[in-house]
Amino acid sequence: MDTIVKKRIKQVIKGDQDAFGEIVEIYKNSVYQLCYRMLGNRHEAEDLAQEAFIRAYVNIQSFNQDLKFSTWLFRIATNLCIDRLRKKKPDYYLDAEVAGTEGLTMYSQISSDSPLPESEVESLELQETVQKEILKLPEKYRSAIVLKYMEDMSLNEISEILDLPLGTVKTRIHRGREALRQQLRYV
């Protein structure tokens, strides 16, 4: 995969825009999932995934071809998500209307207390709960947890993406897990 991507990058640098389209096809789902798990909002995740690819395309000449392209691209996406999180103000008003709907409020998003019969649905519900609790983590822990457990990246890859020493990454993952464990006790 890396050899194909590096070949396409060389073509992009020479001016072949279609080659970048192939790169987007390879990584679009991974970048979107990373953004969604960081932000918890599909529309924002789509916007930032698209922005990550635009920035990668515009700055492709600055990419060091001795490194993995995916690491560079994930760093761009992660930084965009972190920037968005820092600028975003919390919107925890239950009577606020859900964006893109007519009259639907956040009250309607609260899950029912009645047990669901399907174990598959229960699993999805648990995933949603964990995702909501991850969204409550401070951004520095959230990014490390998402990259480690949801994107299944190695500590070295996370270190490269976040541009942090390996020890700091380990500490953030540990503290993030502990914070998540505490939060999930009260859910």
Side-chain angles (χ1 to χ4, degrees), residues 67-166:
L67 303 175
K68 283 181 71 176
F69 179 77
S70 60
T71 301
W72 184 68
L73 181 61
F74 286 154
R75 177 183 285 180
I76 292 171
T78 300
N79 288 342
L80 286 168
C81 290
I82 289 169
D83 288 347
R84 177 69 56 95
L85 290 168
R86 287 180 179 157
K87 291 176 186 171
K88 188 177 178 184
K89 294 185 179 176
D91 50 353
Y92 303 116
Y93 308 103
L94 291 177
D95 57 350
E97 187 172 316
V98 176
T101 64
E102 293 181 18
L104 190 63
T105 65
M106 294 302 283
Y107 281 116
S108 65
Q109 303 301 307
I110 298 174
S111 61
S112 168
D113 290 338
S114 61
L116 299 171
E118 302 289 332
S119 63
E120 205 172 299
V121 173
E122 288 173 1
S123 173
L124 287 173
E125 207 170 71
L126 177 60
Q127 289 173 5
E128 285 178 21
T129 301
V130 171
Q131 175 66 31
K132 285 178 187 173
E133 295 304 314
I134 287 172
L135 290 172
K136 293 178 185 176
L137 289 174
E139 153 265 307
K140 65 183 180 179
Y141 300 141
R142 183 186 320 172
S143 56
I145 293 291
V146 166
L147 291 171
K148 174 69 178 155
Y149 296 106
M150 298 188 150
E151 296 301 326
D152 200 28
M153 292 188 174
S154 72
L155 294 174
N156 288 330
E157 287 177 310
I158 297 169
S159 173
E160 287 179 41
I161 289 171
L162 297 179
D163 197 23
L164 294 171
L166 191 59

